[in-house]
Amino acid sequence: SMTSLAAPSASTSSVDTSALKRPTQQFGQDQFLTMMLAQLKNQDPLKPLEPSEFLGQLAQFSTVTGVQEMQKSLGTMVDSLRSSQALEGANFVGRQVLAPGSTATFDGASTVRGAVDMPAGTAAAELIIRDAAGAVVRTAPLDPRAGLTGFAWDGRNSAGNPVSPGAYKIEVAARRGDRTESLETMLQSRVDSVTLDTGGAGLMLNTMNGALPISAVRRVM
């Protein structure tokens, strides 16, 4: 605040404050200098402005100006980062990415592909495909060896018949010792477009299996 700027003494001449009454969006440099000069011209000769008080006012103004300049610099930097993200995102369009996901969209023709990070000590693992109602459509064994294990589903049920296009739940059940646990699945998706989310989520990749943040991508093919 600038509350330390004193009003002119009654014993001094009147001060033209019209420049200070003009509407402004912020207290800028011109307004500050006008007020400071008015104060210096009309200070009481018997009570001159203390040097320390004058320097304090200058320091306040310097701080406010510095913050404003810093805000401008940060705004420029943010705009630059967004432009860089947009260019980076353009390189993903048309590429295949691997990211965490459990709901795959089957288009009636394309093979659904994905992977799972198999933990050490897994004795057996099984891929389970469920339809929108939760019914099991297809099961298949997976390699239980530790590491990234890929899987592919051709869109056929256990009887070998093609299923209808739509959303299907992808699960992997792994048996370790006397326990069976569900593992996180990753889906392979083609990036159709990218969206620069200004709300804070950053760059979003739009795929058939839904939108996902670029930070979620585990592999780019």
Side-chain angles (χ1 to χ4, degrees):
S1 65
M2 298 292 181
T3 54
S4 59
L5 292 176
S9 171
S11 61
T12 62
S13 59
S14 60
V15 179
D16 182 10
T17 60
S18 59
L20 304 180
K21 295 179 180 180
R22 288 195 297 267
T24 181
Q25 296 298 321
Q26 60 181 5
F27 190 75
Q29 182 177 2
D30 292 340
Q31 289 84 358
F32 178 84
L33 292 177
T34 299
M35 182 175 290
M36 183 64 70
L37 289 174
Q39 182 180 7
L40 291 175
K41 288 180 180 179
N42 298 281
Q43 62 180 328
D44 189 344
L46 299 179
K47 297 179 180 180
L49 187 65
E50 291 290 335
S52 58
E53 184 179 358
F54 180 73
L55 291 175
Q57 293 172 3
L58 289 178
Q60 288 179 348
F61 177 71
S62 177
T63 300
V64 172
T65 303
V67 170
Q68 292 173 348
E69 292 300 321
M70 183 176 66
Q71 290 175 336
K72 292 179 182 179
S73 299
L74 289 175
T76 301
M77 183 176 66
V78 169
D79 291 339
S80 178
L81 288 175
R82 286 175 179 169
S83 298
S84 298
Q85 281 188 323
L87 291 175
E88 180 184 6
N91 293 326
F92 280 88
V93 176
R95 304 287 295 274
Q96 298 282 335
V97 296
L98 187 67
S102 59
T103 301
T105 300
F106 176 58
D107 61 6
S110 304
T111 299
V112 174
R113 302 182 185 277
V116 62
D117 194 5
M118 201 71 68
T122 301
E126 184 179 46
L127 174 68
I128 304 171
I129 313 293
R130 299 180 185 273
D131 61 17
V136 176
V137 172
R138 180 84 174 268
T139 62
L142 294 178
D143 188 345
R145 288 179 295 181
L148 194 64
T149 300
F151 59 80
W153 176 49
D154 59 5
R156 295 179 179 274
N157 58 24
S158 298
N161 300 318
V163 300
S164 302
Y168 290 84
K169 183 76 171 179
I170 311 297
E171 301 175 4
V172 172
R175 181 165 58 84
R176 302 175 66 194
D178 58 354
R179 295 187 308 159
T180 298
E181 59 186 53
S182 179
L183 303 181
E184 180 186 51
T185 56
M186 291 174 281
L187 298 177
Q188 181 175 318
S189 309
R190 180 183 184 276
V191 179
D192 298 319
S193 64
V194 296
T195 301
L196 192 59
D197 188 351
T198 57
L203 190 68
M204 301 295 293
L205 307 181
N206 303 313
T207 74
M208 178 185 290
N209 295 320
L212 53 97
I214 192 173
S215 59
V217 174
R218 302 286 181 85
R219 177 180 291 180
V220 180
M221 282 74 80

